[in-house]
Amino acid sequence: MRIGFVLSQTFKGIKSNRIMVASLALVTFVSLMFLGAAGLLQTQVQNMKDEWYERVEISVFMCPINSTKAQCASGEATQEQIDDVNDFLRSDDMKDYVQEVYVESKEDALENFQKQMKDSTWVEALRPEDMQVSLRVKLVNPEEYKILSDEVGGRPGVESVIDQRQQLQPIFNVLNGATVISAVLAATMIVTALLLIITMVRLSAMFRSRDTAIMRVVGASNALIQIPFILEGVFAALIGSLLASATLFGGVKYLFERSDTEQRFIFINLIDSGDVLMFIPWLILGALLLTAGASFIALRRYTKV
C-alpha cells in the first residue's frame, strides 16, 4: 500500500472539508470534556468515600433528661445502663464488628459542643446536666452499621443510634447527580459527533466520487480507497481528544493542586493531575476507535466501496 498516496489523499480531504473537520474536532473536544469530567468527578467521590468512611463513627446516644422518645420513658440513662452498653460493645460477641469504643461524658460533650459553637454566646449558659452521655463506636467495617444498630438500639437507656455516614450521604448524592448529568451530556455529544462523522464522510465521498471512480478503474483495493476517508475523521478526533486532555489536565492542575486550595480542603483527598493522566490514554484511544468505526460504517453504507 502506498503510504504517501494515502496521506496525500487524506490531507486533500482535510483541506477541502476543513470546516467540517474543525466542527468534528470541537464536538469531540466538548464530548470528551464532559466524559472526562464525569470520570474525574466519580473518582473524587470514591476518594472521599474511601477516606471519610474510614473515619466515620457510630454514635450511641443514651437517654438524657426530659427526653420525649418512647424508649426513654423511664427517664435519664443510669450509670448501670451506660456500663451495660459499653461492656456489650467490648464483648467477644461484638469483637468482629467493633474496633474501638469511646465514652463521651456530659462534660466532654459540653466541651466539644462549645468548641464547635464557639462563636455563639448562648452556649455559655449550658451546663453539663443539659448534655447527654454517648458512646462513639468505630466499626471494623463501616458498612455493617445495621448490625450494631439492631444489637444496641433496643437496649435499656439507649435513645438513638446514629450513623455519621448518613450526614455525608447528601454530599455524595449531589456529586453523584453531577456525575450522571455530565455522563448524559457526554453521551449526547458523542451521538452528535457520530452523526457528524457520518455526514462528513458521506459529503467527502460525494465530492471525491470522481477520484474514487478513477482509483477503482486502475485497480485500487477497497482498503486503499477507504483509508483516506477514515483518517480524516481520525485526525479530527485526535485534535479534539488532545485538546480535551490538555484542558482537563490544566484545569485539575490549576483548580486542585494550588497551595491555597490544598490548605482550604486539607481534610479532603482531592483528585490530582495523576488521576487525569490515567484517564487521558483511554479518552484518546476511545475517540480514535469510535471515529474509525463510525467512518468505516459510513463508507460501507453510503459509498458502496
Side-chain angles (χ1 to χ4, degrees), residues 2-18:
R2 298 175 55 186
I3 297 177
F5 174 77
V6 170
L7 293 177
S8 67
Q9 290 296 307
T10 300
F11 286 112
K12 179 181 178 181
I14 292 173
K15 184 178 180 180
S16 60
N17 295 316
R18 54 186 178 274

Side-chain angles (χ1 to χ4, degrees), residues 11-254:
F11 286 112
K12 179 181 178 181
I14 292 173
K15 184 178 180 180
S16 60
N17 295 316
R18 54 186 178 274
I19 295 178
M20 190 70 74
V21 171
S23 300
L24 178 57
L26 288 175
V27 171
T28 303
F29 164 70
V30 175
S31 302
L32 296 184
M33 279 290 295
F34 281 122
L35 188 61
L40 291 173
L41 191 55
Q42 196 56 40
T43 300
Q44 181 63 74
V45 172
Q46 194 58 51
N47 286 350
M48 292 167 66
K49 283 185 176 180
D50 292 342
E51 184 176 15
W52 289 1
Y53 278 5
E54 288 296 322
R55 299 179 181 179
V56 297
E57 299 174 334
I58 307 300
S59 297
V60 180
F61 289 101
M62 306 303 293
C63 292
I65 300 175
N66 300 325
S67 174
T68 58
K69 297 291 184 67
Q71 56 268 35
C72 297
S74 58
E76 183 180 16
T78 63
Q79 187 60 47
E80 182 180 355
Q81 291 172 334
I82 296 172
D83 293 340
D84 177 68
V85 174
N86 188 22
D87 292 341
F88 173 74
L89 291 172
R90 299 174 187 273
S91 67
D92 291 339
D93 293 336
M94 298 298 293
K95 67 179 181 180
D96 293 334
Y97 307 104
V98 176
Q99 179 178 334
E100 185 179 352
V101 181
Y102 167 72
V103 179
E104 184 180 71
S105 65
K106 292 182 178 182
E107 290 75 14
D108 294 334
L110 178 60
E111 182 180 353
N112 292 332
F113 187 73
Q114 288 176 336
K115 288 180 180 179
Q116 295 174 6
M117 306 294 293
K118 60 182 179 180
D119 296 329
S120 302
T121 57
W122 59 270
V123 298
E124 300 298 331
L126 293 175
R127 299 172 300 167
E129 292 76 16
D130 300 319
M131 311 305 291
Q132 65 188 124
V133 177
S134 64
L135 293 88
R136 305 303 170 91
V137 185
K138 186 173 181 61
L139 297 180
V140 175
N141 180 6
E143 300 291 338
E144 295 178 336
Y145 154 76
K146 191 68 170 58
I147 296 176
L148 184 138
S149 178
D150 292 341
E151 292 290 339
V152 178
R155 287 184 168 265
V158 175
E159 181 186 40
S160 60
V161 181
I162 304 297
D163 182 7
Q164 290 183 354
R165 290 185 308 162
Q166 296 173 351
Q167 301 172 2
L168 301 175
Q169 197 58 46
I171 300 175
F172 295 141
N173 290 341
V174 170
L175 294 175
N176 285 329
T179 301
V180 172
I181 292 174
S182 297
V184 170
L185 290 174
T188 303
M189 295 303 297
I190 288 172
V191 172
T192 304
L194 291 176
L195 295 175
L196 188 58
I197 291 168
I198 293 172
T199 302
M200 184 185 77
V201 171
R202 183 183 184 186
L203 290 175
S204 183
M206 289 174 59
F207 289 139
R208 292 155 60 190
S209 58
R210 181 181 177 185
D211 294 342
T212 302
I214 294 174
M215 291 173 66
R216 287 201 188 97
V217 170
V218 298
S221 64
N222 284 346
L224 187 62
I225 296 173
Q226 291 176 348
I227 286 178
F229 294 102
I230 294 175
L231 290 180
E232 288 179 34
V234 169
F235 175 80
L238 179 61
I239 297 300
S241 60
L242 290 176
L243 286 174
S245 300
T247 303
L248 287 171
F249 183 85
V252 170
K253 193 83 173 174
Y254 176 75

